[in-house]
Amino acid sequence: SVCPRDRLGYDPTMERIYSGISSDDDSIIDNIRYEISCYDDETEETQKYAIRRTIMSADDIFGRHTRCFVATPIGYTSRNVAMSGIAGGSNLQEVVIKDAWPPAESPVLEDPRSEIVLLRKIRSEFEANPPSPPHIYPKFVVGGHIKLARDDGTHEIDTTDAIFKLMDVERLDPPPGNDEMEEFHWRYQPFRAHRRIVMSPVGHSIKTVLNEKELIIVLAESMRCHSSILGRCGILHRDISTNNILVVRLGSHGTGADTDASVFSRPSSSPLPCGLLIDFDFAIEVGISERVARPERSGTLPYMSIANLLNLQTGRTALDDWESLLYVVCWLATVGICSNDRTTYTDLEDLQICRWRVGTLEKIADTKRKHMNSTSNFEDLIAREFRKQYKLLPLLAIALHKALFVNPNCPGALVKSERLNRLVDLDSLDSLDSLVFDQQELGSNDDPLIKRNEYADDIIANLQSVMQKFEHFARKKLNSA
């Protein structure tokens, strides 16, 4: 290439430090090691890490392009003891490095919704006063924006605007409704910033649980963390999903002696798994949603709440995240909870629950309204399709559904006019005189999903009680086994 060095398109903050062992025909290379530099915006220090393995790789070059690595420190920073050497030493603390391009607000260093800002706040709160009741949490170690050196000696934060400037063209903000555009111009790109965050502990996929009792413990601990972070830090997660709840086993590889013990508040000899809530990309500090331009819809199909899918004109609350938890339980109870015991999506095509991931957001929301509207609908359309070998998950799902959708003050999931239209068949009436109803009730269009926010505290307390009871039962059974 004859272009300047800063236009080559590679990431100078990652460097190969060990080429590995190759086969005779050079078609197989093993044990390749990379050194990755992690800059901290606050301390203005750079910590170097040796990557041990990749645990998440981006599917394409568009969107957030999130990659996650397990790594060990090289060198020294003010927040870590002196460490050196290439990854592999058992005495080195393992961490997770998240490298991503999330949407950002300009100026990026002042973005109030930056995951870096939110994780710093969580660390500050829990380091000063450890959580009680105890739970583990994603502990921020180092984090900042990638800064690229230019040939003229200056540095610039790696953003989409910086990339477009190198191409001598201007980035354009995507117009409203761009998802429906037949032709998508390449210059329509959201403003994104290249961020890198180092965290601990190292977790494993929720699919690594051994049984439904372990799953219940992991879910309960993750939601305890959710409630604690919301209550003490004022941060709402907004993306409860199977990908964002991890399993941490104390004393296992990468999570015991190799992990910062300060994130644990339980003896390391405990044989039971812990639940770890991760990924605060969509999280927001309660009260600032009106001051930012980012869309309110957030989350992962098929776990998004109905209000979230419809982008209802009501603030997102903890109830939306608890509703997402219900969908996580339903999904795992249907497809299977363990890696070696999962049904393929192809085999699930005819099940009602698969309608939670196919079609427009509005269509999915309408389907969920019908599924959730009553106990009979939920049990007949969703719970009856759960795996027969599960005994606790159906009971948990029904209890969570009852707490969310069978509240006497705001029952169901359909608006009142919709419920009347579904219950009354006008063609079967001899005359309108035989139709008796409350005119005021018919004229109102109250949505129970909006109205339930008035009773959020009581509903959430009930949901927490449900999870605590199931967690206590699961622990008792596992400890006695």
Side-chain angles (χ1 to χ4, degrees), residues 42-340:
E42 188 175 75
T43 65
E44 298 184 349
E45 294 180 338
T46 297
Q47 171 68 58
K48 295 183 181 295
Y49 292 85
I51 295 175
R52 302 187 67 165
R53 58 188 180 275
T54 301
I55 54 177
M56 181 178 181
S57 181
D59 295 330
D60 53 53
I61 62 173
F62 299 102
R64 296 171 183 268
H65 198 262
T66 302
R67 298 176 296 168
C68 294
F69 313 97
V70 175
T72 48
I74 300 174
Y76 175 85
T77 71
S78 61
R79 294 193 58 82
N80 295 286
V81 297
M83 296 180 180
S84 62
I86 296 176
S90 60
N91 62 325
L92 298 183
Q93 175 189 315
E94 282 192 342
V95 295
V96 173
I97 299 177
K98 177 180 179 180
D99 183 276
W101 285 79
E105 305 291 336
S106 184
V108 294
L109 295 180
E110 300 175 14
D111 183 359
R113 298 177 70 169
S114 164
E115 187 175 17
I116 297 172
V117 172
L118 300 180
L119 290 178
R120 283 188 194 279
K121 184 174 183 178
I122 294 170
R123 182 187 69 185
S124 177
E125 173 65 28
F126 288 154
E127 280 188 345
N129 299 288
S132 179
H135 61 75
I136 60 174
Y137 61 95
K139 184 175 182 181
F140 178 90
V141 179
V142 174
H145 294 79
I146 305 304
K147 292 187 176 182
L148 303 180
R150 303 304 184 195
D151 285 348
D152 61 2
T154 62
H155 289 76
E156 185 171 9
I157 294 177
D158 199 12
T159 65
T160 45
D161 281 358
I163 294 173
F164 273 81
K165 187 167 68 174
L166 289 173
M167 298 185 291
D168 298 321
V169 294
E170 182 181 2
R171 178 190 63 84
L172 302 176
D173 288 322
N178 67 84
D179 291 341
E180 307 298 328
M181 295 173 57
E182 294 183 3
E183 295 184 6
F184 186 85
H185 196 282
W186 66 273
R187 290 175 63 189
Y188 286 122
Q189 300 289 339
F191 179 67
R192 297 179 181 276
H194 189 182
R195 293 170 177 154
R196 190 169 290 162
I197 306 174
V198 182
M199 300 166 285
S200 68
V202 178
H204 302 276
S205 168
I206 198 171
K207 294 183 291 186
T208 61
V209 295
L210 303 180
N211 50 59
E212 59 178 333
K213 300 180 189 69
E214 284 198 349
L215 175 63
I216 287 173
I217 292 173
V218 169
L219 295 178
E221 287 210 347
S222 296
M223 293 310 292
R224 186 178 299 124
C225 175
H226 173 279
S227 297
S228 180
I229 289 174
L230 176 59
R232 294 180 54 179
C233 306
I235 296 172
L236 183 63
H237 189 273
R238 304 201 313 163
D239 190 15
I240 301 297
S241 70
T242 54
N243 290 331
N244 293 338
I245 296 175
L246 299 184
V247 179
V248 177
R249 296 185 184 275
L250 305 186
S252 62
H253 176 69
T255 60
D258 297 339
T259 300
D260 185 355
S262 66
V263 299
F264 300 113
S265 42
R266 187 184 308 157
S268 60
S269 59
S270 174
L272 302 183
C274 303
L276 175 65
L277 184 64
I278 64 165
D279 195 352
F280 285 73
D281 262 350
F282 286 117
I284 187 171
E285 283 194 72
V286 176
I288 73 166
S289 59
E290 300 300 323
R291 306 201 302 268
V292 294
R294 208 174 299 172
E296 277 299 306
R297 277 190 178 122
S298 62
T300 305
L301 288 176
Y303 314 112
M304 291 171 66
S305 71
I306 299 170
N308 194 2
L309 289 165
L310 293 174
N311 203 16
L312 293 180
Q313 297 305 304
T314 180
R316 299 288 86 84
T317 72
L319 289 176
D320 293 282
D321 284 356
W322 279 97
E323 186 179 332
S324 293
L325 176 72
L326 169 61
Y327 300 145
V328 166
V329 173
C330 293
W331 192 263
L332 293 175
T334 304
V335 305
I337 62 176
C338 306
S339 298
N340 59 355

Side-chain angles (χ1 to χ4, degrees), residues 369 373 413-420 444-448:
R369 277 191 187 271
N373 189 53
L414 295 170
V415 295
K416 289 181 179 179
S417 59
E418 287 177 325
R419 293 202 294 271
L420 282 168
S444 67
N445 197 34
D446 289 342
D447 190 330

Side-chain angles (χ1 to χ4, degrees), residues 254-450:
T255 60
D258 297 339
T259 300
D260 185 355
S262 66
V263 299
F264 300 113
S265 42
R266 187 184 308 157
S268 60
S269 59
S270 174
L272 302 183
C274 303
L276 175 65
L277 184 64
I278 64 165
D279 195 352
F280 285 73
D281 262 350
F282 286 117
I284 187 171
E285 283 194 72
V286 176
I288 73 166
S289 59
E290 300 300 323
R291 306 201 302 268
V292 294
R294 208 174 299 172
E296 277 299 306
R297 277 190 178 122
S298 62
T300 305
L301 288 176
Y303 314 112
M304 291 171 66
S305 71
I306 299 170
N308 194 2
L309 289 165
L310 293 174
N311 203 16
L312 293 180
Q313 297 305 304
T314 180
R316 299 288 86 84
T317 72
L319 289 176
D320 293 282
D321 284 356
W322 279 97
E323 186 179 332
S324 293
L325 176 72
L326 169 61
Y327 300 145
V328 166
V329 173
C330 293
W331 192 263
L332 293 175
T334 304
V335 305
I337 62 176
C338 306
S339 298
N340 59 355
D341 184 34
R342 287 210 155 193
T343 305
T344 64
Y345 290 155
T346 303
D347 296 331
L348 298 172
E349 287 180 352
D350 296 332
L351 300 184
Q352 287 286 325
I353 199 171
C354 275
R355 297 171 63 186
W356 295 358
R357 59 189 295 268
V358 178
T360 65
L361 299 183
E362 290 73 17
K363 182 65 176 178
I364 295 173
D366 185 59
T367 298
K368 284 187 173 181
R369 277 191 187 271
K370 298 169 186 174
H371 289 166
M372 299 296 139
N373 189 53
S374 66
T375 301
S376 58
N377 280 12
F378 180 73
E379 293 183 2
D380 293 343
L381 298 175
I382 300 300
R384 69 188 300 267
E385 296 175 342
F386 290 173
R387 295 283 195 91
K388 301 305 179 185
Q389 69 264 35
Y390 300 144
K391 307 303 180 185
L392 291 178
L393 292 184
L395 298 176
L396 174 60
I398 291 171
L400 292 174
H401 173 267
K402 181 178 179 180
L404 280 164
F405 295 102
V406 195
N407 187 292
N409 297 307
C410 46
L414 295 170
V415 295
K416 289 181 179 179
S417 59
E418 287 177 325
R419 293 202 294 271
L420 282 168
N421 290 337
R422 294 175 190 278
L423 291 173
V424 177
D425 182 3
L426 294 178
D427 293 335
S428 66
L429 297 174
D430 296 330
S431 70
L432 289 179
D433 294 336
S434 61
L435 178 60
V436 179
F437 55 85
D438 186 328
Q439 288 282 358
Q440 183 177 358
E441 179 171 316
L442 180 60
S444 67
N445 197 34
D446 289 342
D447 190 330
L449 301 181
I450 296 177

